[in-house]
């Protein structure tokens, strides 16, 4: 596979080694004009193609009330997945990379960072990979099934039928995403661009995951997307960190490699499932400050999740799998957060992942 | 303003004059693999920059219950607007175009068409314009305020406090978007790619417009975006067809030109407002078959909306405004639908709009 070498962003190295002296904490939510903060790359982006499409979806019939009384009852589509893509010029034969976002977020996670730097979506394209960025089923441009919500409004269903709409407060994000132990008090070595934390707050949307059918339709949508691409690297983050594993179990031939970025869990798979997953190269990525108390008592700490994934890697290796952990702190790179794709050294981390892909993932 | 001339899509002309003999009606919701249907342009797309950012947003404090019990109460951001953008190489000084979508839809409306052709977003970029595509506040990647929904779930608020989540059924879309008088029976001359109507169904998301604060925060967000761009052409569609007018009233200096595509209404503005709007060049675009009964008895027909806009144009002209109607049927171009940016002759319509912009809108 021929990967283009494109000079990008000569300022990124400088950014990555910027000292904390320049970090100024701004009030949560108070930010300057975001457009003016968007930085420009040094070289043009040359695309063979770009656009968007949907994966999956089912036609269901709903009542007038379930459709919000906008018109008579009839059919709508639910459980489809929106996917935006960019294919670099000359990159048609190269390995596609699918980037799936985490809880209460959308595909925006991978686009322009909160402080206006190039996102991983464009960076991977500039490195020669076609990149596909979905919104999870039930989120963002993928929409969600509103039937039960309107049923409750109409009195046809009781309010206990409502799924919760999940949101993290900005205050919870600080320790949970490991920018610092307390809101407004960043770790001395944090890599997250904390002056722009108010812009991250804007990226959050309500998350209706508990209202999705079971099994989670994102697993099949991700597997189907990999199949339509006739093979892809599947990357998930946080909530969706384990989704590439589930997609690989559904379609191991199309899952050419898995990158689990700060996964919320590494499930305790059966021996048979581990045997299947051992046929796929797997990289797990975790940042720093993993033992920070999150303030979310019902959820495991990030260190516990890290150890859960270490255990899975051990099981995979025991049956001949190529699975490994990438923990930048072990390489002397400190301060990476849960939003590692938005950290100030995000291109340095991206390069490590690209190097792993180059060395471990077979071509399409 | 130097507008690039780029050769795009030699097949588009052929598509535009394709006979209806090739149109096969497929069952609603049943479609082939969408990715395989995505067509490729003949020439690469060369971008000076691309990415995304947010406009506006307010920090509010919410309770643990309002945040879905994911963690303790705290602050979140609401009423922000997601904006994706592409700037063509050499297009930095050119007039930006903002494209805002309609009801139950997202910015996807302007991207790859349901049958896989280039969207207006890319086409306008290829014609030299920086293009900005938002998701309306309360929709898609802009998120929405979930507080009252979780309050009802927790029993803190009663179900009559719930705003309706609006959806059009696929059956309603056929006459209301004027593909044909009845579902599955396209007009003989329809320009909409009806075999891909199932893909349009996937683009729909629940619309919580009735739950937005008043005045509609999209008006100010659109005005602020135009201001941040130091001048832009503002294009709205259907539900948002009148939003460029509202944005122009808030910031007439930044609204360099308005394009109202099949607007749901042209409001009866005061004489003072009309005087302000008369300082901005305005184009209203309406397709064919406007007197089709929509099946939505509480809403005006599209012919009635057309006449409402004709009346507004008359008032604007009476005080010296440069306002005009573009109705392709009057130029012998038949069969355009409400989703005119997705019709088979969508580039022909785009060229008419581009010609109007070139002739009527001053540079930034």
């Amino acid at each position: 596979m021929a990967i283009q070498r494109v000079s990008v962003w000569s300022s990124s190295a400088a950014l990555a080694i910027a000292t904390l002296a320049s970090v100024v904490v701004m009030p949560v939510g108070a930010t300057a004009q975001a457009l003016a903060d968007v930085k420009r790359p040094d070289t043009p982006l040359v695309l063979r193609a770009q656009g968007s499409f949907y994966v999956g979806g089912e036609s269901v019939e709903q009542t007038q009330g379930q459709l919000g009384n906008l018109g008579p009852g009839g059919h709508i589509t639910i459980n489809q997945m929106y996917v935006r893509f960019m294919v670099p010029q000359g990159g048609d034969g190269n390995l596609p990379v699918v980037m799936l976002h985490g809880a209460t977020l959308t595909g925006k996670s991978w686009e322009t960072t909160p402080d206006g730097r190039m996102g991983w979506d464009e960076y991977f394209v500039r490195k020669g990979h076609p990149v596909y960025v979905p919104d999870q089923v039930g989120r963002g441009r993928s929409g969600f099934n509103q039937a039960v919500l309107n049923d409750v409004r109409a009195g046809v269903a009781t309010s206990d039928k409502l799924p919760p709409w999940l949101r993290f407060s900005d205050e919870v994000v600080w320790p949970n995403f490991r920018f610092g132990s307390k809101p407004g008090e960043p770790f001395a070595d944090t890599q997250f661009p904390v002056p722009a934390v108010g812009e991250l707050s804007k990226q959050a949307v309500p998350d209706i995951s508990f209202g999705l059918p079971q099994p989670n339709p994102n697993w099949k949508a991700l597997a189907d997307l990999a199949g339509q691409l006739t093979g892809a690297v599947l990357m998930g983050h946080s909530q969706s960190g384990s989704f590439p594993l589930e997609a690989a179990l559904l379609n191991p031939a199309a899952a050419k490699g898995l990158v689990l970025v700060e996964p919320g869990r590494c499930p305790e798979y059966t021996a048979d499932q581990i045997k299947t997953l051992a046929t796929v190269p797997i990289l797990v990525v975790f940042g720093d400050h993993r033992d920070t108390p999150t303030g979310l008592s019902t959820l495991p700490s990030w260190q516990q999740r890290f150890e859960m994934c270490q255990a899975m890697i051990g099981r995979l290796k025991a049956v001949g799998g190529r699975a490994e952990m990438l923990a930048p702190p072990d390489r002397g790179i400190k301060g990476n957060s849960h939003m590692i794709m938005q950290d100030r050294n995000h291109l340095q981390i991206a390069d490590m992942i690209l190097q792993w892909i180059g060395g471990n993932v077979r071509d399409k």
Side-chain angles (χ1 to χ4, degrees), chain A residues 30-239:
Chain A
T31 51
Q33 290 185 347
L35 172 56
D37 295 333
V38 175
K39 293 156 192 73
R40 297 296 188 82
D42 293 334
T43 56
L45 178 66
V46 184
L47 299 178
R48 170 77 181 89
Q50 71 83 38
S52 59
F53 60 95
Y54 287 85
V55 177
E58 304 139 39
S59 184
V60 294
E61 190 166 7
Q62 297 190 345
T63 66
Q64 175 165 334
Q66 289 172 331
L67 299 175
N69 291 308
L70 187 55
H75 290 80
I76 64 167
T77 305
I78 60 170
N79 295 335
Q80 66 274 32
M81 176 184 266
Y82 168 83
V83 184
R84 189 178 72 86
F85 72 94
M86 294 189 282
V87 179
Q89 183 73 355
D92 252 333
N94 295 349
L95 203 54
V97 177
V98 178
M99 300 179 175
L100 193 59
H101 61 83
T104 81
L105 297 168
T106 69
K108 165 62 183 167
S109 295
W110 311 99
E111 299 177 352
T112 315
T113 67
D115 57 336
R117 290 167 293 124
M118 182 188 297
W120 274 12
D121 64 337
E122 180 172 334
Y123 189 68
F124 277 68
V125 167
R126 285 179 178 270
K127 292 296 183 177
H129 293 281
V131 169
Y132 295 77
V133 178
D135 283 351
Q136 280 193 35
V137 175
R139 207 87 55 80
R141 291 180 169 184
S142 296
F144 58 87
N145 185 355
Q146 82 302 326
V148 70
L149 307 164
N150 281 329
D151 273 346
V152 170
R153 180 171 179 272
V156 174
T158 49
S159 59
D160 59 303
K161 297 292 186 300
L162 289 175
W165 288 107
L166 308 178
R167 290 291 301 266
F168 289 114
S169 71
D170 298 333
E171 290 85 350
V172 162
V173 161
W174 275 83
N176 190 40
F177 287 9
R178 307 183 336 258
F179 305 153
S181 295
K182 292 177 182 174
E185 296 180 19
F187 295 122
D189 62 359
T190 188
Q191 292 284 358
F192 190 79
V194 289
V197 75
E199 289 299 316
L200 174 64
S201 178
K202 296 179 187 177
Q203 299 185 10
V205 302
D207 180 331
I208 202 175
S209 292
F210 290 150
L212 290 177
Q214 294 300 326
N216 189 325
N218 282 294
W219 302 351
K220 182 170 187 304
L222 194 55
D224 288 351
L225 175 56
Q228 289 186 38
L229 293 167
T230 61
V233 174
L234 304 179
M235 187 183 293
H237 175 237
S238 194
Q239 176 189 59

Side-chain angles (χ1 to χ4, degrees), chain A residues 165-335:
Chain A
W165 288 107
L166 308 178
R167 290 291 301 266
F168 289 114
S169 71
D170 298 333
E171 290 85 350
V172 162
V173 161
W174 275 83
N176 190 40
F177 287 9
R178 307 183 336 258
F179 305 153
S181 295
K182 292 177 182 174
E185 296 180 19
F187 295 122
D189 62 359
T190 188
Q191 292 284 358
F192 190 79
V194 289
V197 75
E199 289 299 316
L200 174 64
S201 178
K202 296 179 187 177
Q203 299 185 10
V205 302
D207 180 331
I208 202 175
S209 292
F210 290 150
L212 290 177
Q214 294 300 326
N216 189 325
N218 282 294
W219 302 351
K220 182 170 187 304
L222 194 55
D224 288 351
L225 175 56
Q228 289 186 38
L229 293 167
T230 61
V233 174
L234 304 179
M235 187 183 293
H237 175 237
S238 194
Q239 176 189 59
S240 79
S242 59
F243 293 4
L245 298 165
E246 303 292 344
L249 289 171
L250 292 171
N251 191 350
K256 296 299 181 191
L258 312 183
V259 180
L260 319 184
V261 180
E262 291 256 332
R265 56 198 292 257
C266 282
E268 293 187 21
Y269 289 115
T270 65
D272 275 355
Q273 288 172 319
I274 287 289
K275 207 176 291 179
T276 301
L277 291 172
T279 64
V280 183
I282 298 174
L283 181 69
V284 184
V285 183
F286 269 100
D288 205 351
H289 301 295
R290 296 187 300 263
D291 52 4
T292 308
T294 61
L296 301 169
S297 54
T298 60
L299 297 175
S301 73
W302 291 103
Q303 180 59 25
Q304 286 170 323
R305 300 173 203 247
F306 173 84
E307 289 164 9
M308 210 186 310
C309 293
Q310 284 283 39
M312 185 188 74
I313 289 170
R315 292 182 68 199
L316 289 164
K317 278 182 163 171
V319 294
R322 271 180 300 160
E324 63 181 280
M325 178 67 75
L326 169 61
D330 296 345
R331 304 190 188 189
I333 300 164
K334 303 295 185 184

